Amino acid sequence: MTLLITVFAAITCTVVWYVKAPADKMRLGTLSLMYWGASVMWLVDAVFEYIEQKDAFFAPEPADMLNDAFLGLSAVALGLVIWLAIVLIKDPKGVLKAALTHKSE
Amino acid sequence: MACFLVPAGEAIVTTIVTKVIESREKAVLAKLPDSEAETAASHKPAISSKMKWLNNMLWGGSALLMFEHIWHGEVVPWFPFLTAAADPADTAEMLSEMSTVGVSMALAVTGVWAVMAAVSSVIEKRKTDDSEKTESESAA
């Protein structure tokens, strides 16, 4: 479930990045690469789990599925928070810089 | 248990390598005349920018996986930070997982990046060949 939610987040970000390309002022490319990196890592984890559990891997308990879904959504939220921090620090549109310099004047 | 530490370690190495490559590319561009430097910079993405794709994948993936380990109580904010490190039997299992799952994760991400970089290079080469062909045709 975590893998599935992260893959959907990665696909969504990539589609938005592609629509906006070649402009990438908001660093959507960075966000989508973050999600793709996590998706690949969780895919490898899932493969190892499948080797260990065999068919039981595809029949998880409802409580485990719900927990994994919460984890997936939380991971996507954390990714967005990291991306937001990068955007605010880099300030590609100069909005923060303008606001801060305007305030100090 | 701590599989994310392997891609995180790789991310540290690739970030340092990227910084070194970036500084070398800047030094090479600085030696070129302004017109040539502009053309070189705009023609194709530098190696350092492709390395940044790998850095983003490794850092982002490691951060989200570390969050998963915190969620499952495998990473804690007090020493030794990894619950598996408190017990020798768990430590052995953790190291075994790092050497199998962790290494596979790092290799998989690097493999995906290598394919992306190779495809990008092919597209760049085609674009350069097409523009050279158009230039030679218009000159003729």
Side-chain angles (χ1 to χ4, degrees), chain A residues 2 6 29-30 33-38 40-42 44-45 48 67-68 70-71 74-76 78-79 82, chain B residues 3 7 52-53 56-65 67-68 71-72 100-101 104-105 108-109 112 116:
Chain A
T2 311
T6 318
T30 305
L33 283 173
M34 273 167 52
Y35 286 144
W36 280 119
V40 171
M41 289 183 196
W42 269 316
V44 171
D45 198 36
F48 274 89
N67 187 270
D68 275 356
F70 274 127
L71 172 61
S74 305
V76 170
L78 178 68
I82 295 170
Chain B
C3 48
K52 280 177 187 169
W53 301 346
N56 287 334
M57 286 170 85
L58 288 169
W59 280 120
S62 301
L64 297 189
L65 257 81
F67 175 71
E68 187 216 342
W71 183 280
H72 289 134
T100 51
V101 184
S104 302
M105 281 175 176
V109 172
V112 168
M116 282 166 61

Side-chain angles (χ1 to χ4, degrees), chain B residues 80-94:
Chain B
F81 306 111
L82 301 164
T83 47
D87 180 58
D90 287 344
T91 308
E93 198 186 328
M94 178 186 78

